[in-house]
Amino acid sequence: MNSRRVSLGTVIIIIGTLVLMTLLFIANLVYGSISIPVDQVGKALFGLPVDKKVWELIVIKTRLPQTMVAMGAGMGLGISGLLMQTMFRNPLAGPSVLGISSGASLGVALVILVADQCFEIVFSTVGFWGDFAVILASLLGAFVVLFTVLYVSKHLEGTLGVLIMGVMFGYLTNAVVSVLKFYSTEESIQSYVMWGLGSFSRLNLTQATRFCIGMVVGSFSTLFFSKSLDLLSLGDRYAQNLGLNVDRTRRAIIFLAGVLTAVVTAFCGPVIFVGVAVPHISKLILRTSRHTLLIAECCLMGGLVTLFCCLISRMPGSESTLPINSVTAFIGAPIIISIIWKKRRM
């Protein structure tokens, strides 16, 4: 059993991650198609007069909401990935392993593609109500899957059945979406594809603030499960012998991870690789199995990674913007490949 004392090096790493995340938060406000001086960004944030009105609008209306959403989404996905990897004891498990992202995708596909076929409504042209319908459909699809998984986990022993069910549900939803896309118009398919590429810029400042607060609170609330996660990582039987109610804890973890994933997917689309890569980065630099420390580091590292991806996708100095999932794949895929390669050599 590891010593319960926290080393100075661990504290320095966690504080260093917090500092880096803060610097990236500021960089996201400063850099973009137009670079804005740091002092002008500070004035805009504190409501002081800014030299150019357009700078204030860019910071408050565009970059601040996008930055907060990116940070919150990274925290939620990072924690969700850590919970899944600990529960399934599988290093490649991630937020999508339960099929919740697939459920959200199916909900959005039903709204975007079926509405086009049955009512000739193209949601990309509806504005606010179109976005609202997409978010609502995504949440409904995700929660239907989440509660189905919770129901199944009550009647199955172990995690293997839950894992297989999540994977199978992903295949089923992909099949349904493929059929819907086959009969849909090009414009609707494009709307669905754009949603699937992921974005942190779909919320206004008020919505982004609520989203960010919800993600921060939800992510750090998993600290209450840190001791249970330590026991689960040793194996179900060992945890049960030490007095842990394994079934109840597993359902609580599925619920927490599912809610975090569902909310992020509803508002940002299915953001890939972050949930799988962040726990591994955190474990690699902390070199501990204590979940109190891993949860804190995953929260901060998740925010750091998505803020970095958000900045890269914006391509400072350019008018273009890359899809967020293409950037997260560039960062996440090499990490996962390195894990598989390292295990092969062990």
Side-chain angles (χ1 to χ4, degrees):
M1 183 69 69
N2 292 337
S3 168
R4 307 312 292 176
R5 294 181 61 186
V6 180
S7 68
L8 179 62
T10 300
V11 174
I12 290 173
I13 288 172
I14 292 176
I15 293 175
T17 310
L18 176 63
V19 171
L20 281 175
M21 190 186 75
T22 306
L23 291 175
L24 277 170
F25 191 97
I26 296 169
N28 270 273
L29 300 178
V30 171
Y31 298 108
S33 57
I34 299 173
S35 294
I36 302 174
V38 177
D39 63 318
Q40 298 299 309
V41 170
K43 287 180 179 179
L45 291 177
F46 289 103
L48 301 173
V50 179
D51 292 351
K52 295 181 180 179
K53 185 67 178 174
V54 67
W55 286 352
E56 181 181 348
L57 293 175
I58 290 172
V59 171
I60 301 300
K61 298 285 186 185
T62 304
R63 291 185 186 173
L64 182 58
Q66 188 179 15
T67 303
M68 286 196 295
V69 170
M71 187 182 73
M75 287 183 171
L77 292 175
I79 288 296
S80 184
L82 176 66
L83 296 179
M84 291 295 96
Q85 288 177 12
T86 300
M87 193 179 78
F88 290 112
R89 293 194 291 281
N90 183 336
L92 297 180
S96 61
V97 75
L98 294 176
I100 292 169
S101 299
S102 299
S105 300
L106 179 60
V108 173
L110 287 172
V111 166
I112 293 179
L113 303 179
V114 174
D116 173 43
Q117 292 175 39
C118 298
F119 307 106
E120 297 185 350
I121 298 174
V122 179
F123 274 89
S124 60
T125 62
V126 178
F128 169 79
W129 290 108
D131 295 337
F132 178 76
V134 168
I135 290 171
L136 185 63
S138 178
L139 279 174
L140 284 175
F143 279 109
V144 165
V145 175
L146 172 60
F147 287 113
T148 305
V149 170
L150 285 171
Y151 176 79
V152 170
S153 67
K154 278 185 180 179
H155 297 82
L156 291 178
E157 289 189 5
T159 55
L160 184 60
V162 179
L163 181 64
I164 293 173
M165 185 184 169
V167 173
M168 291 302 108
F169 194 84
Y171 284 124
L172 282 174
T173 53
N174 286 336
V176 174
V177 170
S178 298
V179 172
L180 291 173
K181 286 165 74 175
F182 183 77
Y183 289 104
S184 298
T185 63
E186 189 176 336
E187 195 172 5
S188 290
I189 294 173
Q190 187 181 10
S191 297
Y192 179 73
V193 170
M194 291 302 292
W195 177 84
L197 292 175
S199 174
F200 297 134
S201 56
R202 292 175 181 152
L203 304 183
N204 61 35
L205 182 58
T206 305
Q207 294 166 335
T209 304
R210 291 171 182 164
F211 174 86
C212 187
I213 292 172
M215 282 294 110
V216 172
V217 173
S219 300
F220 278 100
S221 69
T222 55
L223 282 169
F224 292 110
F225 288 89
S226 56
K227 188 177 177 183
S228 301
L229 289 165
D230 286 343
L231 295 177
L232 277 179
S233 65
L234 300 173
D236 289 359
R237 185 170 297 178
Y238 194 88
Q240 205 157 14
N241 289 338
L242 290 174
L244 181 70
N245 188 326
V246 173
D247 290 336
R248 189 188 301 168
T249 304
R250 187 185 298 139
R251 287 195 293 273
I253 290 171
I254 290 173
F255 180 77
L256 266 175
V259 168
L260 290 172
T261 306
V263 174
V264 172
T265 307
F267 291 98
C268 306
V271 180
I272 59 173
F273 283 111
V274 174
V276 179
V278 165
H280 288 293
I281 300 172
S282 303
K283 290 173 186 172
L284 187 68
I285 60 175
L286 279 187
R287 296 186 181 281
T288 181
S289 58
R290 288 178 60 182
H291 281 81
T292 306
L293 302 173
L294 285 175
I295 287 171
E297 181 65 16
C298 275
C299 279
L300 300 174
M301 185 58 69
L304 188 155
V305 167
T306 45
L307 285 172
F308 180 70
C309 292
C310 184
L311 186 63
I312 297 297
S313 71
R314 203 179 288 160
M315 295 197 299
S318 168
E319 296 291 336
S320 304
T321 302
L322 292 172
I324 194 68
N325 274 340
S326 63
V327 181
T328 55
F330 272 120
I331 294 172
I335 293 172
I336 294 170
I337 291 169
S338 69
I339 292 166
I340 296 171
W341 188 255
K342 190 176 177 182
K343 282 189 174 294
R344 187 191 69 88
R345 297 174 61 185
M346 289 175 66

